[in-house]
C-alpha cells in the first residue's frame, strides 16, 4: 500500500505544481519547477529499492513500464501502481483547476498539435528511460532533471511534464491541455519508454 500512496502523492504534487507553473507564464520558472519536483520524488523513490525491484518505478508510469520490461519491477504490480499514479494526477489536476481563478489562465497561446505531442513525448519517453536506468544503476539522482528539461526544449511549454504520462492526463483535468493532446502524449510517452527499455535490453542483455 505504501508504494501506491507514494506514487499517487508524487503524481498529484507534480501535476499541481505544473498546472500552477503554466499559469505563472514564465518558461524558465516552469521548467525549473517541474524538473525540481521530478528530481525530488525520483530521489525519494530510490529509498524504496529492494535487491530485485527498483523504487524508481514509483516515480512515474513510463519509469514503471521500462523497469518492468527489464524485470526490475513486477508486471503484476504495474497496473495497480499506474492506476494510483493516474488517480493522484487527476486529483492534482482538480486542485490546480480549483485555484485557476486566483492564478489566471494558462499562459499558452495555442495548444500543441497531435503530431508534435506524439513525436516529442516519444522522444522524451525514450530519453527518460535511459536516465532512469542510469540512476537505477547507482548514477546520480540529479540526472532525473534531464527529461523535463528536454521536454521544455523540444515541445511547447504545456507539455513540460510529459515525461510523466499520468501528470499529462492530470493537466488535461486542470484544463491546461486538450484531452486529445494529453491522450496522445501519454500514449506516445509510454511507447517511447517501452521502446527505450527494449533497446537497452538488446544492447545490455541480462546476465
Amino acid at each position: 500500500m505504501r508504494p501506491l500512496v507514494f506514487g499517487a502523492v508524487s503524481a498529484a504534487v507534480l501535476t499541481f505544481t505544473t498546472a500552477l507553473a503554466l499559469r505563472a507564464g514564465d518558461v524558465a520558472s516552469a521548467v525549473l519547477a517541474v524538473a525540481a519536483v521530478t528530481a525530488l520524488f525520483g530521489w525519494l523513490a530510490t529509498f524504496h529499492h529492494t535487491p530485485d525491484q527498483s523504487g524508481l518505478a514509483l516515480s512515474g508510469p513510463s519509469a514503471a513500464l521500462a523497469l518492468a520490461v527489464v524485470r526490475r519491477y513486477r508486471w503484476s504490480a504495474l497496473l495497480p501502481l499506474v492506476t494510483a499514479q493516474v488517480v493522484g494526477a487527476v486529483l492534482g489536476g482538480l486542485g490546480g483547476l480549483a485555484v485557476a481563478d486566483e492564478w489566471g489562465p494558462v499562459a499558452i497561446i495555442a495548444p500543441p498539435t497531435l503530431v508534435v505531442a506524439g513525436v516529442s513525448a516519444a522522444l522524451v519517453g525514450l530519453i527518460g528511460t535511459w536516465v532512469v536506468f542510469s540512476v537505477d544503476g547507482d548514477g546520480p539522482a540529479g540526472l532525473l532533471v534531464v527529461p523535463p528539461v528536454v521536454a521544455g526544449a523540444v515541445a511547447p511549454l504545456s507539455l513540460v511534464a510529459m515525461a510523466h504520462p499520468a501528470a499529462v492526463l492530470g493537466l488535461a483535468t486542470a484544463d491546461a491541455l486538450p484531452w486529445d493532446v494529453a491522450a496522445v502524449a501519454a500514449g506516445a510517452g509510454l511507447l517511447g519508454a517501452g521502446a527505450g527499455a527494449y533497446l537497452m535490453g538488446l544492447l545490455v542483455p541480462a546476465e
Side-chain angles (χ1 to χ4, degrees):
M1 180 62 69
R2 187 176 299 175
L4 299 183
V5 172
F6 181 96
V9 170
S10 61
V13 173
L14 176 62
T15 304
F16 183 76
T17 300
T18 307
L20 296 189
L22 291 177
R23 296 181 190 281
D26 182 76
V27 174
S29 297
V31 173
L32 179 61
V34 173
V37 172
T38 299
L40 172 62
F41 280 105
W43 173 68
L44 292 174
T46 62
F47 290 98
H48 292 263
H49 279 336
T50 65
D52 59 341
Q53 301 289 315
S54 174
L56 285 169
L58 308 183
S59 64
S62 291
L65 174 61
L67 289 163
V69 169
V70 296
R71 292 178 290 181
R72 283 287 291 145
Y73 193 69
R74 299 189 310 277
W75 282 105
S76 61
L78 183 62
L79 182 58
L81 175 60
V82 172
T83 300
Q85 290 166 338
V86 171
V87 170
V90 168
L91 292 176
L94 291 174
L97 189 62
V99 299
D101 290 339
E102 299 177 20
W103 284 73
V106 174
I108 304 297
I109 297 175
T113 66
L114 297 181
V115 172
V116 169
V119 173
S120 58
L123 174 63
V124 170
L126 184 70
I127 293 172
T129 291
W130 294 339
V131 168
V132 165
F133 287 169
S134 177
V135 176
D136 188 49
D138 293 328
L143 289 174
L144 293 168
V145 304
V146 171
V149 171
V150 172
V154 303
L157 184 60
S158 55
L159 290 172
V160 66
M162 62 184 168
H164 194 301
V168 174
L169 298 178
L171 290 174
T173 305
D175 202 25
L177 272 177
W179 275 103
D180 57 347
V181 172
V184 167
L190 289 172
L191 287 174
Y198 178 74
L199 290 173
M200 186 62 72
L202 291 178
L203 295 173
V204 186
E207 295 182 358

